[in-house]
Amino acid sequence: MTVGRADAEGGGDLELFGYLSRVARRNHQILAGLDVDEPVEAIRNVAADVCSEARIRSEIELTATSTAPAQQERARRRLRARGSGLLVAHTREIAERVRHWQADATVTFAGDQYPYLSVPMKLADLADPDDRRSLSAAYWHQTEQVTADLALAWSTRRQVAIDLGYCSYSAAYAHWKNLDLAEIAAVARATIAATEQSYRANLMRYLEFYAGVSPAHYHHCDLPRLFRGGHWDEAFPEGSLLPTTTAAASALGLDLTATPGVRLDLEKRAGKSVRPFCVALRVPEEIYLVALPKGGHRDYEEVLHELGHVAHFALADDTMPWELRYLPDDSVAEAVAYLFAGLLYEPEFLVRQLGMTTAAAAQFADYARFLECAMVRRYCAKTLFEIQAHEAGDLASSADLYAWWMREVTGMDAPPDLVLTDTDTGLYAVQYLTAWFLAAHLRERLVADFGSAWFADAAAGSELHRIWTQVNRHTSQTFLAEEVGVGALDWRPLCTSLAARNPGRRHRARG
């Protein structure tokens, strides 16, 4: 997760520049649990101008008439920012009602009251499947109070896109983000087919071991428990999180203690997001990694992921136009973040950096790759569903279709109303999925050039350093062509990396 920003230097629309800067700083303060130094009303007044329909239509015209690719890409990124800003403005009151409700709501379970927002974490801690189902039922009963607002937000977004002249919400964002939906749909379908057999076999053993249920009874409320992997907590202690993750970055030439502009915020404070994030307030002079260390393999993976974002902002070429530096193509930005997070699937990395035994490292890597495969397939389903649903009309009316896609691809029964919160705004699910494929292409190239232990090779670090300086200017297409040397997305590198290396091993807890 990145929070981009513009600063007051060079080129483009400086009003948009300043608006994005103020929004990002305020978002940083909120998510980091800091005092907010600017009232939201002041920012909204600026947004009404810089994200107006007139400004958006001007950018649409520029993307259609610019003959220079660089100028067209800059216009497209401004268009994306303005269009997203307009949609936020039209749904702001709805979003605030939902946020306030979520912050105040509680869920009753086993005689106790739990904050509504804490339920997913509580589900991860419940070993009894019946308890998870009871808590989940109470959670969704409470959620019914805001279902109408959630549906209204989606129908409003769709209508704004149509009013701008697009045939659908997805058509607007496909244009704003230069997404080839037909290509990604084809790759998603190929990935589902290629991973089907291994996924189903591994789902059976891991679901029963970690969540205590069979695939026939797999429900969405089991997902947090499946991913929790508490048996591995000893291998991923809170106190080692920062040394381990920063050492991984240092091995590739990114010394966070010495890189100018990089600031680590690991303090525990009220209101701070439990999920790590990277925020770029001045690129490359002021980049924050904000985290609340708690330990566990998911915490390590998330911090590694955010370190990938830190790298492409902190090492960005500061001569690039502001639109390219501060508004990177999300697919490419997430790809380099996935490259870092994927180190946890490498047994040799686990032995070197975490001191695991060879056997334990191989066992955990198999589990981690299964979780990644589960996520990739889930995002394949989300992508195919979104393309179909947004084109068909209102999202809420496609709830049953969403539940079908989840069951068909992941084997998981999901509450139909989950569609209203699980569907990412801005087609971000499509970009996450694209990022997985881009990361796999890059990893394949690194392995070919530097060997399986590329993450410990100084020459690979130098090459990545060069790539990091250019990441923010790239589109998915230029990244593939210039940094990987291929002409189109291919599902095979990712599916190869997700394949279990020891499919016959019986899974056991680390002892």
Side-chain angles (χ1 to χ4, degrees):
M1 176 175 65
T2 61
V3 184
R5 176 204 190 261
D7 60 9
E9 58 183 68
D13 185 325
L14 295 184
E15 291 176 297
L16 177 62
F17 212 47
Y19 162 71
L20 295 173
S21 176
R22 293 162 68 182
V23 168
R25 187 169 293 279
R26 193 173 191 279
N27 288 342
H28 168 225
Q29 291 167 343
I30 292 171
L31 291 171
L34 301 170
D35 292 335
V36 178
D37 59 17
E38 183 173 24
V40 69
E41 290 75 18
I43 298 176
R44 288 177 183 171
N45 292 335
V46 178
D49 177 33
V50 300
C51 298
S52 67
E53 288 192 25
R55 295 287 190 106
I56 291 170
R57 293 184 190 282
S58 294
E59 300 288 17
I60 291 173
E61 179 68 18
L62 280 174
T63 61
T65 58
S66 295
T67 56
Q71 294 299 321
Q72 184 181 54
E73 183 60 24
R74 292 174 67 184
R76 189 185 300 279
R77 296 193 190 187
R78 293 195 303 270
L79 171 59
R80 183 188 80 190
R82 294 188 201 276
S84 297
L86 181 65
L87 289 170
V88 167
H90 277 272
T91 56
R92 181 176 289 114
E93 291 185 6
I94 304 170
E96 289 181 354
R97 283 200 304 270
V98 172
R99 276 197 298 269
H100 287 310
W101 180 87
Q102 290 176 331
D104 296 336
T106 59
V107 176
T108 302
F109 168 68
D112 292 322
Q113 297 286 321
Y114 294 92
Y116 178 85
L117 293 174
S118 73
V119 169
M121 289 181 287
K122 181 64 178 176
L123 287 170
D125 291 334
L126 291 175
D128 189 324
D130 291 335
D131 286 344
R132 292 197 296 271
R133 278 144 186 77
S134 295
L135 177 56
S136 178
Y139 174 86
W140 285 106
H141 178 72
Q142 284 291 80
T143 304
E144 289 175 1
Q145 297 183 47
V146 290
T147 296
D149 270 338
L150 294 169
L152 178 59
W154 275 111
S155 63
T156 301
R157 294 179 186 113
R158 175 176 179 269
Q159 189 58 52
V160 172
I162 290 173
D163 290 345
L164 287 171
Y166 294 98
C167 63
S168 66
Y169 176 83
S170 57
Y173 268 101
H175 179 222
W176 298 350
K177 294 185 172 184
N178 196 24
L179 302 174
D180 186 336
L181 298 184
E183 177 189 48
I184 193 64
V187 176
R189 291 181 185 279
T191 299
I192 292 170
T195 58
E196 179 72 16
Q197 185 174 353
S198 62
Y199 172 73
R200 299 293 176 177
N202 285 318
L203 179 65
M204 180 177 295
R205 63 178 180 137
Y206 287 123
L207 189 60
E208 291 181 346
F209 183 83
Y210 287 105
V213 295
S214 69
H217 299 97
Y218 182 25
H219 187 271
H220 181 263
C221 67
D222 300 314
L223 195 61
R225 184 68 180 177
L226 174 63
F227 274 70
R228 172 71 179 82
H231 297 85
W232 295 98
D233 282 355
E234 182 183 345
F236 298 92
E238 175 186 333
S240 298
L241 186 148
L242 188 61
T244 299
T245 54
T246 55
S250 295
L252 292 170
L254 182 65
D255 185 348
L256 294 182
T257 62
T259 301
V262 175
R263 306 173 191 187
L264 305 181
D265 175 4
L266 305 176
E267 294 181 16
K268 294 185 177 181
R269 68 175 73 95
K272 191 176 187 181
S273 171
V274 297
R275 181 181 177 185
F277 65 94
C278 165
V279 55
L281 294 181
R282 288 183 298 133
V283 179
E285 296 90 354
E286 189 180 0
I287 317 297
Y288 288 89
L289 173 63
V290 184
L292 195 61
K294 53 187 178 294
H297 74 93
R298 295 293 291 173
D299 205 20
Y300 277 63
E301 180 179 358
E302 288 172 355
V303 170
L304 282 169
H305 183 101
E306 297 310 321
L307 283 175
H309 288 309
V310 168
H312 71 78
F313 281 122
L315 299 176
D317 180 354
D318 62 7
T319 65
M320 282 191 288
W322 73 267
E323 299 96 332
L324 304 188
R325 276 184 293 145
Y326 289 100
L327 301 172
D329 182 303
D330 293 318
S331 297
V332 182
E334 295 295 348
V336 293
Y338 280 143
L339 181 72
F340 257 37
L343 293 174
L344 290 188
Y345 321 145
E346 302 290 346
E348 189 170 347
F349 174 84
L350 298 169
V351 172
R352 291 188 182 206
Q353 297 293 349
L354 284 95
M356 285 188 179
T357 65
T358 300
Q363 193 176 89
F364 176 79
D366 278 352
Y367 168 57
R369 279 193 297 273
F370 161 73
L371 295 183
E372 192 76 349
C373 183
M375 286 294 290
V376 167
R377 286 178 64 90
R378 183 164 170 264
Y379 272 78
C380 284
K382 281 160 63 78
T383 290
L384 292 168
F385 160 74
E386 287 185 39
I387 292 172
Q388 188 174 357
H390 287 310
E391 293 298 327
D394 185 61
L395 192 69
S397 64
S398 299
D400 289 338
L401 178 64
Y402 166 83
W404 181 87
W405 272 110
M406 287 296 111
R407 187 166 50 252
E408 184 73 10
V409 178
T410 71
M412 175 181 70
D413 285 328
D417 282 347
L418 181 62
V419 68
L420 299 173
T421 54
D422 191 41
T423 303
D424 302 277
T425 57
L427 296 184
Y428 214 89
V430 176
Q431 295 193 278
Y432 271 135
L433 185 59
T434 302
W436 265 304
F437 293 114
L438 293 176
H441 276 290
L442 180 57
R443 186 182 299 113
E444 183 179 62
R445 185 209 144 181
L446 292 170
V447 170
D449 291 348
F450 305 104
S452 60
W454 60 267
F455 48 82
D457 190 302
S462 296
E463 176 62 4
L464 279 174
H465 192 287
R466 182 195 64 76
I467 292 173
W468 282 329
T469 65
Q470 299 300 313
V471 162
N472 291 10
R473 75 169 177 82
H474 277 306
T475 65
S476 296
Q477 294 81 8
T478 63
F479 184 81
L480 282 173
E482 297 178 26
E483 308 299 353
V484 182
V486 299
L489 285 178
D490 187 340
W491 53 269
R492 283 167 289 195
L494 177 60
C495 292
T496 297
S497 72
L498 293 175
R501 297 178 185 175
N502 299 283
R505 183 193 291 117
R506 182 173 178 271
H507 189 71
R508 298 172 298 162
R510 181 178 184 270

